[in-house]
Amino acid sequence: MINISLPDGSVRSFDKPVSGADIAASIGPGLAKAALALRVDGKMKDLSHVVDHDAKIGIVTSRDSEALELLRHDAAHVLAQAVQELYPGTQITFGPATEDGFYYDFVREQPFSPDDFAKIEQRMAEIVDRDLPITREIWDRAKIKDYFKQHGESFKAQWVDELPKDEVISVYKQGDWLDMCLGPHLPSTGKLGKAFKLTKVSGAYWRGDANNAQLQRVYGTVFFSDKELKAYLHRIEEAEKRDHRKLGREMALFHQQEDSAGMVYWHPKGWTFWRTLEGYLRRKLEAGGYVEVKTPQLNDRRLWEKSGHWENFRENMYLSENEEGLKEYVADPARRMFALKPMNCPCHIQIFNQGLRSYRELPLRMAEMGSCHRFEPSGALHGILRVRNFTQDDAHIFCSEDQIEVETIRFCKLLGDVYRDLGFEYFVKFADRPPVRIGSDAIWDQAEGALKSASKAAGLDLILNPGEGAFYGPKLEFVLRDAIGRDWQCGTLQVDFMLPERLGASYVAEDGSRKVPVMLHRAIFGSFERMIGILIEHHAGRFPLWLAPTQAVVATIVNDADSYANEVASQLRAAGMRVDTDLRNEKINYKVREHSLAHVPLILAVGRRDIEGKTVAVRRLGSEKQEVLELGAAVTNLSEEARPPF
RNA sequence: GCUGCCGUAGCUCAGUGGUAGAGCACUCCCUUGGUAAGGGAGAGGUCGACAGUUCAAUCCUGUCCGGCAGCACCA
């Protein structure tokens, strides 16, 4: 007798082992039809899975959240089958479900192109129409390896050898087609439905390693209904409208050009935005007990050798030398060679090293809006979010070991305040020692331990990010989530027991001895470029008033109002606002449209009536209402409203 | 860096083996209009760069540069 307990608490008894399909059928014909998979003691199984012991089970239907992953994995298989039917000789490799769809990696001489999608999708639809039962079989290693070899599937055959020896190998068959796969899967290809769409092709590496063969990855997405698919495609379109590269150009914030790839030309409005953000942060830093410094762009290579960057980071550094020096360098590699700084830390230690430091000066919080250059791979560049020259809101806190905890707490508070002011939610990852690093394991143990306990004291929930620490120390990564749910790593806090020692930093301790300070590297924005790009996309260009580069435009209705408009603008400017005037010979409709499209938060229209009554007609971005205010009140209220949060 | 796609006016894009077009933007003129495009005229391009094929290349081929998507990278 087998007792099956269902999610509603009821128990059904069967006198022999039963499949998921049998259980669903025993509950009702509707459920039998809707059933997609089975959950046995919390684990997803095929609907055909036979339950032979007392268990808690659930019937998975399209209403379960896990069902979508199942659907997507199936879509990947159907894609692969369609591709192999259409393009014989194409090899299959892997094809998992992803967060918003699925992909399958193929090996084929000829590249796939988006032009092939219609044909492949059509074949996929045919396979769905065939409603092929999807069945699971257990094969032994030799059999499956032979099968793949015979079918010219060398990648799959190779993979068989790499599976753990004790692993049971299952294959999933649909019609003549099969793939080696852990499952589970839907009961038949018909259950996939047709709310799928292929979205893009790209290269990908075999097993994710750039040293391996490059495969062709075909991406797609699938949902249970056309409605959901359409909604998804609509979301993608909406995200494209927020693209900071597009908005940056439209709003005249910045541009980038070919002869300085990965760098940014900031235009007046973009630079105004930058300075507003920088001013806000600077006030926060000052209030937080930081001092600010500025250090050289170019340093002798010997500094980078001492710091370890020359050895660990040179691939990403821009080297520089004048012609004379270059000749000498070629002749004698021991010659001086300069490098643009990729980080500010070694420079900050140079400042720390000037004069004798006392424990009384610690913690010393040294900040710099530090412009750094890093030679990023060309394929990594992305607008202003990933650039080769960026400005870090960097700071290094020189402290004693027992100050780490307090300083971590202080920093987390500061970062939290800033993210809250900017309207971001965030979470925190803990990145521990990377494979390539400096320093002994004992020191890493110490640094990781210190950062962990300080995080705990700061009340952080940490997600482990193994092997992703900096080469000199472990780090916290603060990841913020924007308005449309995308994650961006921005803030960081890194504990460093190495660099101060390497670069000879020390202070006189209370007992008169010399000690090496610990250094905390920390940033809130990470880089201004990146943060500004994120803010543009987060707000879709409709910045909060305090951040908007142009906070208000005073637009005239008739030219007679020109001098009054100038008067209104100058009063607002005197009250600290950023204001433009629009005195052009255009209709007010035209001006309203243009400034609305430019995302100006406030449009103040002035005409003859306003001159007489000393008023302005205020229109707010996103609203069609007009509010006629007396000029003095408008200046007071709007300038108050436009004040930064700190 | 790798794979694929792309590069024509400020922007969005059409087009052709015989040196190019549209809409918007821009300039000028008319219009002075109370909240999302008033009308007219004009100007604007070494068709990403360099080679090659050809009588002739923006178009075909190659190399390079840059962009886009994904992969890899992001200390």
Side-chain angles (χ1 to χ4, degrees), chain A residues 195-474:
Chain A
F196 57 76
K197 186 169 167 54
L198 299 182
T199 50
K200 54 200 169 200
V201 291
S202 82
Y205 299 105
W206 169 243
R207 309 199 56 196
D209 185 335
N211 298 311
N212 290 342
Q214 186 144 23
L215 316 171
Q216 293 191 61
R217 180 169 294 179
V218 178
Y219 285 86
T221 192
V222 61
F223 291 88
F224 281 104
S225 72
D226 278 324
K227 203 175 146 193
E228 290 166 288
L229 176 63
K230 282 209 179 93
Y232 170 79
L233 296 174
H234 182 69
R235 272 205 307 284
I236 302 283
E237 271 174 42
E238 288 302 307
E240 279 170 14
K241 284 187 195 157
R242 296 172 172 253
D243 192 313
H244 73 280
R245 293 164 298 189
K246 183 171 174 282
L247 288 168
R249 188 176 51 239
E250 287 172 1
M251 298 174 72
L253 300 175
F254 60 84
H255 88 272
Q256 294 176 281
Q257 67 186 43
E258 198 169 326
D259 43 28
S260 34
M263 314 200 184
V264 188
Y265 288 79
W266 289 99
H267 293 208
K269 289 199 189 304
W271 190 244
T272 297
F273 187 95
W274 178 307
R275 286 189 299 120
T276 304
L277 196 59
E278 184 177 10
Y280 159 79
L281 186 69
R282 185 169 278 131
R283 291 189 292 276
K284 293 296 277 190
L285 289 173
E286 277 169 7
Y290 287 76
V291 292
E292 188 176 327
V293 299
K294 197 77 182 170
T295 61
Q297 288 300 306
L298 214 49
N299 306 85
D300 194 293
R301 108 184 209 202
R302 285 175 299 187
L303 177 64
W304 302 114
E305 281 170 354
K306 269 189 245 162
S307 69
H309 288 79
W310 193 258
E311 197 183 336
N312 291 286
F313 205 70
R314 186 155 38 122
E315 280 185 2
N316 294 291
M317 287 166 68
Y318 283 96
L319 306 182
S320 169
E321 188 49 275
N322 63 21
E323 203 168 336
E324 196 59 28
L326 199 59
K327 273 185 231 150
E328 292 176 25
Y329 179 76
V330 170
D332 172 14
R335 269 287 304 177
R336 325 185 64 154
M337 169 65 89
F338 293 85
L340 281 165
K341 66 175 174 184
M343 298 182 199
N344 305 298
C345 25
C347 294
H348 289 183
I349 295 176
Q350 305 315 305
I351 293 180
F352 184 87
N353 287 355
Q354 295 298 305
L356 213 50
R357 297 289 180 180
S358 155
Y359 73 94
R360 294 173 189 277
E361 295 177 70
L362 306 185
L364 176 57
R365 308 184 191 94
M366 193 184 290
E368 178 174 3
M369 308 301 172
S371 172
C372 295
H373 289 78
R374 295 182 190 176
F375 189 80
E376 300 285 353
S378 60
L381 302 179
H382 181 82
I384 64 173
L385 294 176
R386 186 82 182 270
V387 285
R388 287 178 174 155
N389 173 25
F390 55 95
T391 306
Q392 294 181 315
D393 63 316
D394 204 3
H396 296 94
I397 301 171
F398 296 89
C399 63
S400 65
E401 216 172 308
D402 54 17
Q403 287 169 332
I404 294 174
E405 185 168 306
V406 171
E407 288 304 311
T408 299
I409 294 168
R410 275 178 73 112
F411 174 68
C412 291
K413 167 85 170 59
L414 178 64
L415 176 137
D417 287 352
V418 171
Y419 283 10
R420 196 196 51 232
D421 284 345
L422 294 175
F424 292 120
E425 307 268 309
Y426 65 99
F427 59 94
V428 191
K429 293 191 199 169
F430 181 88
D432 61 13
R433 68 193 77 183
V436 179
R437 58 181 183 261
I438 57 176
S440 68
D441 286 353
I443 292 181
W444 275 91
D445 288 342
Q446 194 185 358
E448 286 172 359
L451 186 55
K452 257 190 194 148
S453 69
S455 310
K456 199 174 170 193
L460 301 178
D461 275 330
L462 297 179
I463 299 166
L464 192 64
N465 191 12
E468 295 294 327
F471 72 79
Y472 46 74

Side-chain angles (χ1 to χ4, degrees), chain A residues 30-31 33-37 39 59-71 186 191-192 223-225 228:
Chain A
L31 186 63
K33 205 174 160 202
L36 298 176
R39 200 184 302 103
I59 303 292
V60 177
T61 69
S62 64
R63 284 193 286 186
D64 291 81
S65 56
E66 304 109 304
L68 194 58
E69 191 185 332
L70 206 63
L71 188 78
L186 301 177
K191 298 280 186 194
L192 178 60
F223 291 88
F224 281 104
S225 72
E228 290 166 288

